[in-house]
Amino acid sequence: QVRIVESGGGLAQPGSSLRLSCKVTGVNFKLFPVDWYRQASEKERELVATITASGGSTYLDSVKDRFAISRDNVWRMVYLQMNDLKPEAPAVYSCHLKNANGDFWGRGTKVTVPP
């Protein structure tokens, strides 16, 4: 059974950095792309970054010069390094993996960057 657990969120000041972590178990992790999504209250969930099985990455335009996604296939981890954080509504960042058995999500970790 696929299990995803995120960590690393919290309260951060504008201009600072946070690194989010995502642990994936129950699947042959190295074979699959993994996404980071975020959702603020009363807003639609948006795709922030994706890392492919081979390590390629894509980003939401508004974060592409500030965020970096990476993976460690040995430890089954995906990271989202977030630099120069901007004041935004609090959002829950969640990891997502899709395989032939379905879509799998973690419970997320909340990031708050107040003005």
Side-chain angles (χ1 to χ4, degrees):
Q1 181 176 349
V2 179
R3 185 165 183 248
I4 298 175
V5 180
E6 302 92 337
S7 61
L11 178 65
Q13 295 305 309
S16 69
S17 299
L18 279 177
R19 188 174 84 151
L20 305 184
S21 300
C22 168
K23 175 79 172 181
V24 181
T25 56
V27 67
N28 195 346
F29 172 74
K30 65 184 179 183
L31 298 181
F32 301 101
V34 178
D35 313 296
W36 278 102
Y37 280 80
R38 68 184 178 189
Q39 186 168 23
S41 180
E42 299 183 6
K43 291 191 175 181
E44 291 192 3
R45 184 166 54 199
E46 62 181 354
L47 177 60
V48 176
T50 297
I51 188 161
T52 66
S54 60
S57 57
T58 56
Y59 298 92
L60 181 68
D61 279 349
S62 61
V63 308
K64 68 171 51 174
D65 294 326
R66 300 182 293 117
F67 289 12
I69 189 170
S70 60
R71 67 190 296 158
D72 183 331
N73 288 339
V74 174
W75 292 101
R76 300 170 173 259
M77 299 291 295
V78 175
Y79 303 101
L80 186 67
Q81 178 67 41
M82 307 189 297
N83 299 324
D84 190 21
L85 287 164
K86 306 296 185 187
E88 291 177 306
V92 175
Y93 284 71
S94 302
C95 256
H96 167 258
L97 181 148
K98 180 176 182 177
N99 67 11
N101 295 321
D103 288 89
F104 301 94
W105 296 88
R107 299 182 70 174
T109 185
K110 189 172 183 178
V111 174
T112 302
V113 186

PDB file of all heavy atoms in Angstrom, residues 70-90:
ATOM      1  N   SER A  70      13.707  17.916  -5.787  1.00  0.00           N
ATOM      2  CA  SER A  70      14.745  16.905  -5.943  1.00  0.00           C
ATOM      3  C   SER A  70      14.254  15.596  -5.342  1.00  0.00           C
ATOM      4  O   SER A  70      13.247  15.577  -4.631  1.00  0.00           O
ATOM      5  CB  SER A  70      16.050  17.357  -5.268  1.00  0.00           C
ATOM      6  OG  SER A  70      15.851  17.579  -3.883  1.00  0.00           O
ATOM      7  N   ARG A  71      14.969  14.534  -5.640  1.00  0.00           N
ATOM      8  CA  ARG A  71      14.565  13.244  -5.106  1.00  0.00           C
ATOM      9  C   ARG A  71      15.788  12.426  -4.705  1.00  0.00           C
ATOM     10  O   ARG A  71      16.872  12.587  -5.269  1.00  0.00           O
ATOM     11  CB  ARG A  71      13.709  12.472  -6.108  1.00  0.00           C
ATOM     12  CG  ARG A  71      14.406  12.024  -7.364  1.00  0.00           C
ATOM     13  CD  ARG A  71      13.390  11.483  -8.392  1.00  0.00           C
ATOM     14  NE  ARG A  71      12.708  10.284  -7.905  1.00  0.00           N
ATOM     15  CZ  ARG A  71      11.529   9.872  -8.371  1.00  0.00           C
ATOM     16  NH1 ARG A  71      10.899  10.557  -9.311  1.00  0.00           N
ATOM     17  NH2 ARG A  71      10.990   8.756  -7.901  1.00  0.00           N
ATOM     18  N   ASP A  72      15.575  11.563  -3.743  1.00  0.00           N
ATOM     19  CA  ASP A  72      16.602  10.616  -3.301  1.00  0.00           C
ATOM     20  C   ASP A  72      15.970   9.238  -3.359  1.00  0.00           C
ATOM     21  O   ASP A  72      15.154   8.887  -2.504  1.00  0.00           O
ATOM     22  CB  ASP A  72      17.044  10.967  -1.868  1.00  0.00           C
ATOM     23  CG  ASP A  72      18.152  10.067  -1.369  1.00  0.00           C
ATOM     24  OD1 ASP A  72      18.229   8.899  -1.808  1.00  0.00           O
ATOM     25  OD2 ASP A  72      18.947  10.533  -0.528  1.00  0.00           O
ATOM     26  N   ASN A  73      16.322   8.485  -4.384  1.00  0.00           N
ATOM     27  CA  ASN A  73      15.678   7.183  -4.588  1.00  0.00           C
ATOM     28  C   ASN A  73      16.113   6.143  -3.563  1.00  0.00           C
ATOM     29  O   ASN A  73      15.409   5.149  -3.352  1.00  0.00           O
ATOM     30  CB  ASN A  73      15.962   6.675  -5.999  1.00  0.00           C
ATOM     31  CG  ASN A  73      15.193   7.455  -7.055  1.00  0.00           C
ATOM     32  OD1 ASN A  73      14.189   8.096  -6.771  1.00  0.00           O
ATOM     33  ND2 ASN A  73      15.700   7.422  -8.285  1.00  0.00           N
ATOM     34  N   VAL A  74      17.233   6.351  -2.940  1.00  0.00           N
ATOM     35  CA  VAL A  74      17.680   5.409  -1.904  1.00  0.00           C
ATOM     36  C   VAL A  74      16.783   5.521  -0.679  1.00  0.00           C
ATOM     37  O   VAL A  74      16.324   4.516  -0.126  1.00  0.00           O
ATOM     38  CB  VAL A  74      19.155   5.664  -1.538  1.00  0.00           C
ATOM     39  CG1 VAL A  74      19.565   4.784  -0.362  1.00  0.00           C
ATOM     40  CG2 VAL A  74      20.052   5.407  -2.745  1.00  0.00           C
ATOM     41  N   TRP A  75      16.540   6.745  -0.264  1.00  0.00           N
ATOM     42  CA  TRP A  75      15.729   6.978   0.923  1.00  0.00           C
ATOM     43  C   TRP A  75      14.259   7.205   0.608  1.00  0.00           C
ATOM     44  O   TRP A  75      13.463   7.431   1.520  1.00  0.00           O
ATOM     45  CB  TRP A  75      16.289   8.174   1.703  1.00  0.00           C
ATOM     46  CG  TRP A  75      17.622   7.864   2.298  1.00  0.00           C
ATOM     47  CD1 TRP A  75      18.841   8.234   1.818  1.00  0.00           C
ATOM     48  CD2 TRP A  75      17.866   7.081   3.471  1.00  0.00           C
ATOM     49  NE1 TRP A  75      19.843   7.742   2.618  1.00  0.00           N
ATOM     50  CE2 TRP A  75      19.279   7.030   3.637  1.00  0.00           C
ATOM     51  CE3 TRP A  75      17.053   6.427   4.385  1.00  0.00           C
ATOM     52  CZ2 TRP A  75      19.872   6.348   4.687  1.00  0.00           C
ATOM     53  CZ3 TRP A  75      17.640   5.745   5.438  1.00  0.00           C
ATOM     54  CH2 TRP A  75      19.033   5.709   5.581  1.00  0.00           C
ATOM     55  N   ARG A  76      13.898   7.134  -0.674  1.00  0.00           N
ATOM     56  CA  ARG A  76      12.491   7.280  -1.101  1.00  0.00           C
ATOM     57  C   ARG A  76      11.927   8.630  -0.677  1.00  0.00           C
ATOM     58  O   ARG A  76      10.810   8.715  -0.167  1.00  0.00           O
ATOM     59  CB  ARG A  76      11.625   6.163  -0.542  1.00  0.00           C
ATOM     60  CG  ARG A  76      12.050   4.775  -0.980  1.00  0.00           C
ATOM     61  CD  ARG A  76      11.314   3.711  -0.194  1.00  0.00           C
ATOM     62  NE  ARG A  76      11.570   2.380  -0.703  1.00  0.00           N
ATOM     63  CZ  ARG A  76      10.739   1.712  -1.474  1.00  0.00           C
ATOM     64  NH1 ARG A  76       9.591   2.258  -1.839  1.00  0.00           N
ATOM     65  NH2 ARG A  76      11.036   0.513  -1.889  1.00  0.00           N
ATOM     66  N   MET A  77      12.714   9.655  -0.905  1.00  0.00           N
ATOM     67  CA  MET A  77      12.318  11.000  -0.491  1.00  0.00           C
ATOM     68  C   MET A  77      12.233  11.929  -1.691  1.00  0.00           C
ATOM     69  O   MET A  77      12.997  11.800  -2.653  1.00  0.00           O
ATOM     70  CB  MET A  77      13.348  11.573   0.487  1.00  0.00           C
ATOM     71  CG  MET A  77      13.531  10.799   1.771  1.00  0.00           C
ATOM     72  SD  MET A  77      12.124  10.888   2.878  1.00  0.00           S
ATOM     73  CE  MET A  77      12.115  12.622   3.288  1.00  0.00           C
ATOM     74  N   VAL A  78      11.311  12.856  -1.600  1.00  0.00           N
ATOM     75  CA  VAL A  78      11.263  13.977  -2.530  1.00  0.00           C
ATOM     76  C   VAL A  78      11.297  15.247  -1.697  1.00  0.00           C
ATOM     77  O   VAL A  78      10.634  15.328  -0.656  1.00  0.00           O
ATOM     78  CB  VAL A  78       9.998  13.942  -3.403  1.00  0.00           C
ATOM     79  CG1 VAL A  78       9.905  15.194  -4.276  1.00  0.00           C
ATOM     80  CG2 VAL A  78       9.997  12.701  -4.277  1.00  0.00           C
ATOM     81  N   TYR A  79      12.063  16.215  -2.153  1.00  0.00           N
ATOM     82  CA  TYR A  79      12.217  17.467  -1.421  1.00  0.00           C
ATOM     83  C   TYR A  79      11.740  18.633  -2.273  1.00  0.00           C
ATOM     84  O   TYR A  79      11.839  18.597  -3.503  1.00  0.00           O
ATOM     85  CB  TYR A  79      13.684  17.684  -1.053  1.00  0.00           C
ATOM     86  CG  TYR A  79      14.278  16.565  -0.247  1.00  0.00           C
ATOM     87  CD1 TYR A  79      15.087  15.602  -0.855  1.00  0.00           C
ATOM     88  CD2 TYR A  79      14.031  16.466   1.116  1.00  0.00           C
ATOM     89  CE1 TYR A  79      15.627  14.567  -0.116  1.00  0.00           C
ATOM     90  CE2 TYR A  79      14.569  15.424   1.859  1.00  0.00           C
ATOM     91  CZ  TYR A  79      15.362  14.483   1.243  1.00  0.00           C
ATOM     92  OH  TYR A  79      15.897  13.466   1.971  1.00  0.00           O
ATOM     93  N   LEU A  80      11.260  19.642  -1.595  1.00  0.00           N
ATOM     94  CA  LEU A  80      10.948  20.907  -2.274  1.00  0.00           C
ATOM     95  C   LEU A  80      11.657  22.008  -1.496  1.00  0.00           C
ATOM     96  O   LEU A  80      11.242  22.349  -0.387  1.00  0.00           O
ATOM     97  CB  LEU A  80       9.443  21.163  -2.331  1.00  0.00           C
ATOM     98  CG  LEU A  80       9.032  22.387  -3.137  1.00  0.00           C
ATOM     99  CD1 LEU A  80       9.349  22.179  -4.622  1.00  0.00           C
ATOM    100  CD2 LEU A  80       7.553  22.700  -2.952  1.00  0.00           C
ATOM    101  N   GLN A  81      12.741  22.500  -2.071  1.00  0.00           N
ATOM    102  CA  GLN A  81      13.465  23.621  -1.479  1.00  0.00           C
ATOM    103  C   GLN A  81      12.794  24.906  -1.931  1.00  0.00           C
ATOM    104  O   GLN A  81      12.720  25.182  -3.130  1.00  0.00           O
ATOM    105  CB  GLN A  81      14.922  23.606  -1.926  1.00  0.00           C
ATOM    106  CG  GLN A  81      15.750  24.764  -1.404  1.00  0.00           C
ATOM    107  CD  GLN A  81      15.938  24.726   0.099  1.00  0.00           C
ATOM    108  OE1 GLN A  81      16.165  23.663   0.679  1.00  0.00           O
ATOM    109  NE2 GLN A  81      15.833  25.876   0.742  1.00  0.00           N
ATOM    110  N   MET A  82      12.307  25.673  -0.985  1.00  0.00           N
ATOM    111  CA  MET A  82      11.587  26.903  -1.292  1.00  0.00           C
ATOM    112  C   MET A  82      12.386  28.085  -0.764  1.00  0.00           C
ATOM    113  O   MET A  82      12.564  28.213   0.451  1.00  0.00           O
ATOM    114  CB  MET A  82      10.190  26.868  -0.658  1.00  0.00           C
ATOM    115  CG  MET A  82       9.395  25.619  -1.017  1.00  0.00           C
ATOM    116  SD  MET A  82       7.670  25.688  -0.499  1.00  0.00           S
ATOM    117  CE  MET A  82       7.852  25.791   1.275  1.00  0.00           C
ATOM    118  N   ASN A  83      12.869  28.901  -1.668  1.00  0.00           N
ATOM    119  CA  ASN A  83      13.676  30.067  -1.303  1.00  0.00           C
ATOM    120  C   ASN A  83      12.925  31.353  -1.591  1.00  0.00           C
ATOM    121  O   ASN A  83      11.988  31.371  -2.413  1.00  0.00           O
ATOM    122  CB  ASN A  83      14.985  30.056  -2.089  1.00  0.00           C
ATOM    123  CG  ASN A  83      15.825  28.833  -1.801  1.00  0.00           C
ATOM    124  OD1 ASN A  83      15.872  28.338  -0.677  1.00  0.00           O
ATOM    125  ND2 ASN A  83      16.498  28.328  -2.820  1.00  0.00           N
ATOM    126  N   ASP A  84      13.349  32.421  -0.943  1.00  0.00           N
ATOM    127  CA  ASP A  84      12.753  33.741  -1.161  1.00  0.00           C
ATOM    128  C   ASP A  84      11.226  33.647  -1.105  1.00  0.00           C
ATOM    129  O   ASP A  84      10.517  34.071  -2.030  1.00  0.00           O
ATOM    130  CB  ASP A  84      13.205  34.311  -2.519  1.00  0.00           C
ATOM    131  CG  ASP A  84      12.822  35.763  -2.694  1.00  0.00           C
ATOM    132  OD1 ASP A  84      12.584  36.447  -1.673  1.00  0.00           O
ATOM    133  OD2 ASP A  84      12.744  36.216  -3.855  1.00  0.00           O
ATOM    134  N   LEU A  85      10.744  33.118  -0.006  1.00  0.00           N
ATOM    135  CA  LEU A  85       9.304  32.923   0.139  1.00  0.00           C
ATOM    136  C   LEU A  85       8.571  34.265   0.101  1.00  0.00           C
ATOM    137  O   LEU A  85       9.020  35.269   0.668  1.00  0.00           O
ATOM    138  CB  LEU A  85       9.009  32.185   1.437  1.00  0.00           C
ATOM    139  CG  LEU A  85       9.385  30.699   1.416  1.00  0.00           C
ATOM    140  CD1 LEU A  85       9.428  30.134   2.821  1.00  0.00           C
ATOM    141  CD2 LEU A  85       8.412  29.921   0.557  1.00  0.00           C
ATOM    142  N   LYS A  86       7.438  34.254  -0.564  1.00  0.00           N
ATOM    143  CA  LYS A  86       6.611  35.459  -0.708  1.00  0.00           C
ATOM    144  C   LYS A  86       5.427  35.384   0.248  1.00  0.00           C
ATOM    145  O   LYS A  86       4.911  34.294   0.514  1.00  0.00           O
ATOM    146  CB  LYS A  86       6.094  35.569  -2.146  1.00  0.00           C
ATOM    147  CG  LYS A  86       7.168  35.516  -3.222  1.00  0.00           C
ATOM    148  CD  LYS A  86       8.105  36.693  -3.138  1.00  0.00           C
ATOM    149  CE  LYS A  86       9.100  36.672  -4.304  1.00  0.00           C
ATOM    150  NZ  LYS A  86      10.135  37.729  -4.148  1.00  0.00           N
ATOM    151  N   PRO A  87       4.966  36.552   0.719  1.00  0.00           N
ATOM    152  CA  PRO A  87       3.771  36.535   1.555  1.00  0.00           C
ATOM    153  C   PRO A  87       2.578  36.038   0.745  1.00  0.00           C
ATOM    154  O   PRO A  87       2.282  36.567  -0.330  1.00  0.00           O
ATOM    155  CB  PRO A  87       3.575  38.003   1.944  1.00  0.00           C
ATOM    156  CG  PRO A  87       4.872  38.671   1.658  1.00  0.00           C
ATOM    157  CD  PRO A  87       5.500  37.900   0.546  1.00  0.00           C
ATOM    158  N   GLU A  88       1.951  35.017   1.224  1.00  0.00           N
ATOM    159  CA  GLU A  88       0.800  34.434   0.552  1.00  0.00           C
ATOM    160  C   GLU A  88      -0.144  33.876   1.598  1.00  0.00           C
ATOM    161  O   GLU A  88       0.238  33.681   2.744  1.00  0.00           O
ATOM    162  CB  GLU A  88       1.245  33.294  -0.386  1.00  0.00           C
ATOM    163  CG  GLU A  88       2.036  33.741  -1.594  1.00  0.00           C
ATOM    164  CD  GLU A  88       2.515  32.577  -2.445  1.00  0.00           C
ATOM    165  OE1 GLU A  88       3.163  31.682  -1.901  1.00  0.00           O
ATOM    166  OE2 GLU A  88       2.224  32.588  -3.653  1.00  0.00           O
ATOM    167  N   ALA A  89      -1.356  33.580   1.157  1.00  0.00           N
ATOM    168  CA  ALA A  89      -2.293  32.910   2.059  1.00  0.00           C
ATOM    169  C   ALA A  89      -1.716  31.561   2.453  1.00  0.00           C
ATOM    170  O   ALA A  89      -1.047  30.902   1.642  1.00  0.00           O
ATOM    171  CB  ALA A  89      -3.629  32.716   1.361  1.00  0.00           C
ATOM    172  N   PRO A  90      -1.915  31.135   3.671  1.00  0.00           N
ATOM    173  CA  PRO A  90      -1.430  29.820   4.093  1.00  0.00           C
ATOM    174  C   PRO A  90      -1.910  28.741   3.141  1.00  0.00           C
ATOM    175  O   PRO A  90      -3.057  28.772   2.678  1.00  0.00           O
ATOM    176  CB  PRO A  90      -2.042  29.655   5.486  1.00  0.00           C
ATOM    177  CG  PRO A  90      -2.269  31.051   5.964  1.00  0.00           C
ATOM    178  CD  PRO A  90      -2.614  31.840   4.740  1.00  0.00           C
TER     179      PRO A  90
END
